[in-house]
Amino acid sequence: VANIHGDEAVGRELLIGLARYLTENYLTDERVKRLLETTDIHLLPSVNPDGNAADSRHSANDEDLNRAFPGWMDLELPRSELIKDREKEVKAMMNWILDNPFVLSISFHDGRVMINYPWDDSPAAVEGEKSICPDDDVFSELAALYAENHPFMWTGKCLCHCETFTKGISNGAEWYVVDNGMQDYNYLFSNCMEITAELSCWKRPPATHLQVEWENNLDSMLILLESAHMGIKGKVLDEDGEPLNRAVVQVCGRDK
């Protein structure tokens, strides 16, 4: 997913390029063929097309869409109340996320070069301190996996900021608190594990620089897609071998 902030355009171009790369290499690249035959892949180049057209962070309604999702205070609300009065782009994203059992997601942003992961916010969150979620170890591993396969993201340094991040990754709230963001919404309301990639110091670099960004991020994108197959997966069946509706699986030591 990319371009939730309309003026952050690198991720948008990367996802358009990734769609082309996967389709054009299906018949000639075994890695791509295996990935496409075993993985449901959804690519959304622009959450905020109006903002992109206007070169604006905000939507046409002047809203920051990444501050407009349900959060902790909304956990007990029914779906009809969750989507009520939301921005049209947010409503579309919410329904898409709830209607599809996504396992893994990444949201592309610009303005820095690093990866962050939940929690961005929580009832006890303090800006500058880690806000630990139940799957913190998995999130940090996924974040590090993307950063390690990027030419320099793993160093934790970029040209536009003096602040550094160990391994090029950060817990969200440890960096800064984001309330009602899409990353936490995914994990809170659907169990989808979303991380956020800050791709480039330039939010809208010259077209001549996009090839560099593509080469910097291709391996990381492919490896993250393959990571959807990590862990345990299967079906919950009854004694007759039929799938159980609304089955809940709990893992010892995971309060989620």
Side-chain angles (χ1 to χ4, degrees):
V1 176
N3 203 214
I4 194 169
H5 291 145
D7 61 343
E8 299 173 15
V10 174
R12 177 179 181 273
E13 300 303 319
L14 287 186
L15 289 188
I16 293 170
L18 182 60
R20 182 173 62 245
Y21 178 86
L22 292 174
T23 53
E24 290 180 351
N25 287 280
Y26 173 72
L27 295 177
T28 58
D29 188 307
E30 281 301 316
R31 183 185 190 185
V32 171
K33 185 175 183 179
R34 182 172 61 253
L35 187 59
L36 290 175
E37 291 184 348
T38 61
T39 315
D40 289 333
I41 301 173
H42 297 246
L43 304 177
L44 182 59
S46 184
V47 178
N48 184 6
D50 292 330
N52 180 70
D55 194 16
S56 169
R57 176 185 178 90
H58 290 175
S59 68
N61 286 341
D62 198 25
E63 293 288 341
D64 186 333
L65 300 179
N66 203 37
R67 305 293 189 277
F69 284 80
W72 288 85
M73 299 293 289
D74 306 308
L75 278 172
E76 301 304 320
L77 295 179
R79 181 167 175 172
S80 59
E81 288 297 312
L82 282 178
I83 66 174
K84 185 178 179 181
D85 298 326
R86 301 284 171 186
E87 293 297 308
K88 60 182 181 297
E89 298 93 344
V90 172
K91 189 181 296 186
M93 289 301 299
M94 288 173 59
N95 285 326
W96 187 50
I97 291 164
L98 294 176
D99 288 340
N100 294 276
F102 296 123
V103 174
L104 185 61
S105 175
I106 186 165
S107 178
F108 288 135
H109 291 246
D110 297 304
R112 201 173 283 255
V113 181
M114 52 87 73
I115 305 285
N116 76 74
Y117 55 91
W119 298 119
D120 278 331
D121 185 26
S122 70
V126 175
E127 189 159 309
E129 298 179 10
K130 286 186 177 181
S131 185
I132 305 295
C133 73
D135 292 297
D136 182 78
D137 55 345
V138 180
F139 272 114
S140 60
E141 181 177 340
L142 289 167
L145 190 65
Y146 193 100
E148 287 166 1
N149 286 279
H150 185 283
F152 63 87
M153 186 183 285
W154 58 273
T155 67
K157 303 174 184 178
C158 65
L159 297 176
C160 47
H161 294 277
C162 60
E163 186 179 12
T164 61
F165 298 94
T166 303
K167 297 182 180 180
I169 69 175
S170 176
N171 172 267
E174 186 180 22
W175 183 20
Y176 67 93
V177 170
V178 173
D179 61 329
N180 299 101
M182 184 170 66
Q183 178 170 261
D184 282 2
Y185 171 79
N186 267 282
Y187 187 50
L188 270 174
F189 290 89
S190 79
N191 291 323
C192 174
M193 304 184 77
E194 179 167 284
I195 61 176
T196 296
E198 300 279 348
L199 296 172
S200 171
C201 290
W202 284 342
K203 291 187 175 184
R204 195 177 285 266
T208 53
H209 188 71
L210 289 175
Q211 184 63 31
V212 173
E213 295 294 350
W214 169 255
E215 293 170 1
N216 285 347
N217 288 279
L218 176 59
D219 283 346
S220 294
M221 289 192 292
L222 293 176
I223 287 170
L224 193 74
L225 287 172
E226 291 167 339
S227 297
H229 297 283
M230 291 170 56
I232 298 171
K233 57 192 173 194
K235 299 178 180 179
V236 180
L237 308 175
D238 63 19
E239 60 271 17
D240 298 319
E242 296 297 321
L244 281 172
N245 187 35
R246 297 186 179 277
V248 175
V249 177
Q250 292 182 311
V251 180
C252 292
R254 301 280 165 169
D255 186 23
K256 179 72 171 72

